[in-house]
Amino acid sequence: MASSFAAAFGLKDEGLLQTKGYIAGRWRDALDGATISVSNPATGEEIGTVPEMGVKETQEAITAAQDSFKAWKRTTAKVNRRVSLSFERVLTAPNLSIQMISQKFWEAPSANSVPKTHELNLIQTLENGKTLNDAKAEITYSSSFIEWFAEEAVRTYGETIPAPVPGIRNVTVMQPVGVCAILTPWNFPSAMITRKLGPALAAGCTVVVKPPPETPFSALALVELARRAGFPDGVINVVTTMKNVGEVGKELCENTIVRKVTFTGSTAVAKLLYSMSASTMKKISFEAGGNSPFIVFDDADIDAAVEGAALCKYRASGQTCVCANRIYVHSSVYAEFASRLAAKVATFKVGSGLDKETTHGPLIHDRAIKKVEEHVADAVGKGAQVLIGGSRLEGPGSFFAPTILSDVPPNVRLSNEETFGPVAALIKFETEEEVLKLANDTQYGLAGYFYSRDIGRVWRVAEALEVGMVGANTGMISSAVIPFGGVKESGLGREGAHGIQEYMQTKLIAFGGV
Ligand SMILES: NC(=O)c1ccc[n+]([C@@H]2O[C@H](COP(=O)([O-])OP(=O)(O)OC[C@H]3O[C@@H](n4cnc5c(N)ncnc54)[C@H](O)[C@@H]3O)[C@@H](O)[C@H]2O)c1
Ligand SMILES: O=CCCC(=O)O
């Protein structure tokens, strides 16, 4: 099945298109044979199926992770680093490049319409919809987490701590936390997994991954590459599920073998998993939703602010947790900023991610379109004007026109809820004090951005924004090396940078009688 499926999509390396879950080193169907249909958001057509697994398969995966933990936790940091670096190499290896075609991927490649790309990019574009360029950027981003944490594996140092009394020596050692449950969203099908998998494996943990039902193939391809890189059977397990997600999630949070739950996704699901994880006092890290403010002050470099807003707002068609959701512009530069942003947005080309002309792909599904429509209708009903776009694009697939709403009043739904779509809401302000109050008036606290050339203001505003990450004169903050995460209801813990600590426990060993 996997092989004919891969051939249908023009994948030379057929092993990368896996259509089963992965438990204890074996590709597995659901016990009852049930499947989940996965479709291409650009066409609405099914691209394949994966198993609809349940509690029993989840328990098997947890047991496999527990069994393999016994040996994996004792692997030396040096060997661990080597295996992780092999994983990074197979993720970026040039021999994985393929000839693929734009638009009609089922036809034979033709010489002049064939960009060279990586098979993982193609899988991601097919199931998520993002453009091949964005998919390529994501695979690079994805592998950067594996590389970063491979290097961290050899630096998980303990401490010696001077004792307050004679005869005692205090030493700490860092130990892997144990079996980790990894639950991730569809918007970055690969990078949101490796951001967790990298530190977990490097720390010596073993894992059960529960990928999103919308984009399971990227997750399964990652696992296949990890297997080839040399991770032993049972170290990485994958349970695919959709309808059974409630009971699978409960099992992952309540099973006593699992010692850590790490989740990226919406705040609503984060809260549910948080409460379920409390019963067994698990270590947790949650990267949840956002509603980022983006502020353009009167002293801003407007060219830079327009570029920053276009990138920050419309990256992945507005479907990132750190996308600007509310754009506050000082009244004195409002008209100029709005018209220049509109000119920039008018150059966007919306379409299939496989088309090399496309700059912005579809939204993930119709539910996503519906939410964006509701936010636009709510803002327009309260007095906002549609400067550009404003509606769904007719035809197959779930496309929404890149949109700018001007004169948006502060009391609209998108001020408090994550839109997760290509809608820039422009809100006028007069003073720094007023805009900070508006920017912080939300339960979210993931990222915040602003443009100003006044060094005093830059410090003041950066310190005053109630968020985990600030972009001061930049609309792009993400990389493997930053402490990624939010405050308030946007999350708990940090990924990237010092993120390996999230997968380790500090143990004190006090030596007496010295
Ligand atoms: N803070 C971050 O780093 C970050 C990064 C990417 C995405 N996100 C957020 O993710 C959201 C979009 O992704 P999504 O729609 O996939 O989010 P989601 O919360 O619906 O799903 C995330 C994951 O949780 C699973 N899930 C859903 N219900 C569950 C349940 N009852 N029990 C266990 N698991 C369950 C899903 O299948 C998926 O694997 C947005 O809110 C976005 O801001 C946050
Ligand atoms: O969607 C959220 C993650 C995006 C990022 O890591 O930049």
Side-chain angles (χ1 to χ4, degrees), residues 69-131:
F69 181 60
K70 291 172 196 139
W72 186 245
K73 71 178 175 191
R74 283 199 295 273
T75 306
T76 62
K78 191 171 171 179
V79 169
N80 190 320
R81 172 179 170 276
R82 280 208 189 126
V83 182
S84 291
L85 284 177
S86 310
F87 185 21
E88 189 257 342
R89 265 193 296 275
V90 293
L91 265 170
T92 52
N95 64 1
L96 291 174
S97 297
I98 56 156
Q99 294 272 301
M100 57 82 47
I101 56 170
S102 60
Q103 285 183 315
K104 294 187 179 174
F105 48 85
W106 55 89
E107 289 179 1
S110 77
N112 48 11
S113 67
V114 186
K116 218 171 180 214
T117 189
H118 189 300
E119 307 206 288
L120 297 181
N121 304 350
L122 178 55
I123 292 173
Q124 202 170 105
T125 295
L126 287 170
E127 64 180 2
N128 168 283
K130 64 177 63 179
T131 65

Side-chain angles (χ1 to χ4, degrees), residues 141 187-188 192 195 315 319-322 420 476 478 484:
Y141 189 32
N187 68 331
F188 285 81
M192 294 305 100
R195 193 182 241 166
R315 178 178 169 219
Q319 302 173 106
T320 89
C321 55
V322 287
F420 234 57
M476 183 67 186
S478 303
F484 196 100

Side-chain angles (χ1 to χ4, degrees), residues 349-410:
K349 171 117 178 29
V350 179
S352 161
L354 296 170
D355 182 342
K356 60 183 183 215
E357 304 296 317
T358 296
T359 57
H360 293 78
L363 301 194
I364 190 71
H365 40 45
D366 275 0
R367 289 196 310 286
I369 294 265
K370 193 165 171 292
K371 184 169 186 198
V372 175
E373 282 175 339
E374 282 173 14
H375 279 200
V376 169
D378 170 69
V380 169
K382 290 173 179 157
Q385 309 289 316
V386 177
L387 212 57
I388 189 166
S391 57
R392 178 185 191 131
L393 299 177
E394 290 311 318
S398 42
F399 292 95
F400 199 92
T403 296
I404 301 178
L405 301 178
S406 69
D407 302 306
V408 177

Side-chain angles (χ1 to χ4, degrees), residues 52 58 62 106 168 182-183 243 264 299 302 328 339-340 344 370 409 451 462 502 505:
E52 172 71 65
T58 308
I62 293 171
W106 55 89
I168 292 273
I182 295 181
L183 300 103
K243 288 199 198 88
T264 297
D299 60 352
I302 299 297
Y328 298 105
S339 75
R340 283 163 72 175
K344 175 90 190 171
K370 193 165 171 292
Y451 280 71
E502 302 272 357
Q505 301 282 18

Side-chain angles (χ1 to χ4, degrees), residues 183-188 192 195 210-214 241-242 245-250 252-253 263-270 272-273 276 286-290 319-322 364-365 418 420 444 446 469 484-486 490 495:
L183 300 103
T184 55
W186 49 264
N187 68 331
F188 285 81
M192 294 305 100
R195 193 182 241 166
K210 208 279 323 142
E214 294 87 351
T241 189
M242 184 170 78
V245 71
E247 60 196 54
V248 167
K250 190 168 184 307
L252 290 171
C253 292
F263 166 82
T264 297
S266 63
T267 294
V269 175
L272 177 69
L273 303 185
M276 292 193 295
F286 289 146
E287 299 292 344
Q319 302 173 106
T320 89
C321 55
V322 287
I364 190 71
H365 40 45
E418 198 177 23
F420 234 57
Y444 293 110
L446 191 57
M469 298 172 288
F484 196 100
S490 283
E495 298 193 310

Side-chain angles (χ1 to χ4, degrees), residues 2 19 43 106 153 170 193 199 209 227 254 331 339 365 376 394 458 469:
T19 58
T43 61
W106 55 89
N170 290 325
I193 295 178
V209 181
R227 191 190 65 75
E254 294 184 352
S331 59
S339 75
H365 40 45
V376 169
E394 290 311 318
V458 168
M469 298 172 288

